[in-house]
Amino acid sequence: MFYTSTVLILLLTALLIAVPETAGLVLGQAQEWLSRSFGWYYMVVIGGYLLFVLVLAFSSYGKLKLGSKDDTPDFSYGAWAGMLFSSGIGISLLYFGASEPLDHYFNPPEGASATNLAARQGLQLTFLHWGLHGWAIYALVGLAVAYFAYRHNQPLALRSALYPLVGERWVKGAAGHAVDGFGMFVTLLGLVTNLGIGAMQVSSGLEYLFGMEHSNTNLLIVILVMSTVATIAAVSGVENGIRRLSNLNILLFSGLLLFVLFNGPTLHLLNSFVQNIGDYLNGAVLKTFDLYVYEGDEAKSEHWLGLWTVFYWAWWISWAPFVGMFIARISRGRTVRELVAGVLLIPLGFTLAWLSIFGNTALDLVMNHGAVELGRTALEQPSMSIYQLLEHYPASKIVVGVAIFVGFVLFLTPADSGAVMMANLSCKGGQVDEDAPHWLRILWSVVITLVTIGLLFAGNFAAMQTMVVLAGLPFSLVLVVFMFGLYKAMKQDTQLEQEQAELAAQVHRDFVERMSLVELPSLAAQQRSGARSAARHAEA
């Protein structure tokens, strides 16, 4: 696993760096073909993932524990909720929080641009892209890995979900190697993209705050500093480094959100948030399957879907291996219902609040206060848009500095947890809940850093983002297999538990019946003896 995945990753990186223009052209054409040919498939399969995990949670299977009956959760509810919050919420929220609603406002998939209707639709689409559907993918992978690891004593790896379908021999052989290897490949693509976005976001903030020039040297320094801190956190492990970073994430992120809410048009933002939630829930089913077939300009609709909705669905799928494994790693002792509810609801509420408050603030500034430059920046340099938004608030320099630090911390949690999961997948032996050795975590952190630097400096980082989208298609089929395997195992385990409960009840009934047969003669003898004693007493 280790050698195969490492060689494949380095070969791909070398190819993208050696011939960046050719590779970018080929990958761009491949992405356009994928969006045009498989847009319908992504819509259907994403809806299927969400429906599947909801049915599991509300059915009798929701009571099944991820572990034995005596297992208790490794983390308290507070610590568990904090790590769930940080597992999927990353620096991308800073990147897209203000820029995506503005982009939909100026370039809507249907209707006229730069209208009130376009603004309303822009938040509805943003909520769709960041809403329940994506978190359901994480919940599915987390359930599949945790269920077989903690109930069936399989490795804490992606391959374990194949166990009920192909048997232990294939799980430990070619099928298992293929699933884990591809999962590592997709994970590295997501981590490299995360590091690239994080570096650009932090670097843009430093340029804005200190007037630094935009250069490769400054970008390299930012990448090295961020990677070093992430490596230290990865070595510290889940219980120490990642948990502490998760708690810090919540405090900083919440503070920045409340600052923007209470120093802006508070009443307008609260009203907008409530309406945004209503629009999202009201159109959840329609937008899940909306391919804009009847808009007239089919080429435009396909281009928009490929650029946004299909891109997001593939992006979530590509991040699912390491985020799902991290969720599984921290969820031992929880029930199926607890995991699904926690993953779908704990990060979602904050995510939607963030997108609504920052998105509506940006729209209000552009539509009502003449912030033309903010609208232009959202389209041309999205990483700078949140800093330009904060210009309109008191103590803007201090707040921008806090936002830069928030972005730095937001980058760290996915980076260090991803390095831990990469190391775990490429390491055999040890206990099911034991992380890989430190040297392997450090090695993967170094590989991720080197690949990111190479691609950024080769000017072909967009090609890596395209690879993430392309890799999402085959891995979506793996997730479909996970659903079948999980359902089959849960059905068998439920039947087994029912049979054991019935057997235990029958044994109890037999025991009571046997005791009754033994005690009845003895009771009759006692009654006769008592009667004779009473008669003698009466005579006396």
Side-chain angles (χ1 to χ4, degrees), residues 364-522:
D364 179 61
L365 289 171
V366 171
M367 296 170 65
N368 302 320
H369 299 282
V372 179
E373 186 64 26
L374 174 59
R376 185 181 300 112
T377 301
L379 299 177
E380 297 175 357
Q381 192 181 356
S383 61
M384 186 66 77
S385 59
I386 190 170
Y387 304 125
Q388 288 196 353
L389 180 149
L390 293 173
E391 276 183 354
H392 300 270
Y393 282 79
S396 60
K397 293 292 184 181
I398 297 175
V399 179
V400 168
V402 173
I404 295 171
F405 185 69
V406 168
F408 180 71
V409 177
L410 284 174
F411 155 79
L412 293 177
T413 306
D416 55 33
S417 60
V420 170
M421 293 305 107
M422 287 282 287
N424 289 350
L425 279 176
S426 59
C427 177
K428 63 182 180 181
Q431 301 299 318
V432 68
D433 56 354
E434 181 181 350
D435 288 327
H438 291 172
W439 71 268
L440 197 54
R441 304 184 215 174
I442 294 172
L443 178 62
W444 279 114
S445 294
V446 171
V447 170
I448 293 166
T449 304
L450 293 177
V451 171
T452 306
I453 292 172
L455 290 172
L456 280 174
F457 286 6
N460 207 20
F461 190 73
M464 181 58 80
Q465 292 177 290
T466 304
M467 281 296 301
V468 174
V469 176
L470 296 177
L473 179 62
F475 200 76
S476 68
L477 297 175
V478 175
L479 298 187
V480 173
V481 175
F482 280 13
M483 289 195 296
F484 283 104
L486 196 56
Y487 173 74
K488 182 178 180 180
M490 286 184 172
K491 185 177 180 180
Q492 292 174 345
D493 289 351
T494 302
Q495 290 175 346
L496 180 61
E497 286 188 356
Q498 290 175 349
E499 291 172 0
Q500 291 174 342
E502 291 173 0
L503 180 61
Q506 183 62 43
V507 169
H508 178 71
R509 287 195 295 270
D510 292 344
F511 175 76
V512 171
E513 185 177 348
R514 285 196 300 270
M515 291 300 295
S516 299
L517 292 174
V518 171
E519 290 175 354
L520 282 174
S522 176

Side-chain angles (χ1 to χ4, degrees), residues 244-314:
R244 290 172 183 172
L245 283 175
S246 300
N247 295 334
L248 184 59
N249 266 353
I250 295 173
L251 291 175
L252 293 175
F253 224 19
S254 301
L256 188 57
L257 178 71
L258 293 175
F259 174 83
V260 173
L261 173 63
F262 291 116
N263 285 280
T266 306
L267 184 59
H268 170 72
L269 294 177
L270 292 175
N271 291 335
S272 300
F273 182 37
V274 173
Q275 182 161 337
N276 295 153
I277 293 176
D279 288 341
Y280 169 58
L281 295 176
N282 183 54
V285 175
L286 171 64
K287 289 301 179 182
T288 298
F289 304 103
D290 196 349
L291 290 163
Y292 307 102
V293 173
Y294 300 103
E295 288 307 305
D297 192 344
E298 189 173 350
K300 177 185 175 183
S301 299
E302 289 177 352
H303 177 73
W304 188 92
L305 281 171
L307 203 61
W308 287 104
T309 305
V310 173
F311 167 79
Y312 264 107
W313 296 160

Side-chain angles (χ1 to χ4, degrees), residues 519-536:
E519 290 175 354
L520 282 174
S522 176
L523 181 61
Q526 290 176 4
Q527 289 174 341
R528 288 195 297 269
S529 176
R532 288 194 296 268
S533 177
R536 288 195 299 269

Side-chain angles (χ1 to χ4, degrees), residues 91 191-200 202 218-236 245 407-420 441-454 456:
I91 198 168
L191 291 173
V192 167
T193 308
N194 180 66
L195 177 54
I197 289 177
M200 289 187 289
V202 173
N218 291 332
L219 189 60
L220 177 61
I221 294 172
V222 170
I223 291 174
L224 292 177
V225 171
M226 295 173 75
S227 300
T228 301
V229 178
T231 302
I232 294 171
V235 170
S236 300
L245 283 175
F408 180 71
V409 177
L410 284 174
F411 155 79
L412 293 177
T413 306
D416 55 33
S417 60
V420 170
R441 304 184 215 174
I442 294 172
L443 178 62
W444 279 114
S445 294
V446 171
V447 170
I448 293 166
T449 304
L450 293 177
V451 171
T452 306
I453 292 172
L456 280 174

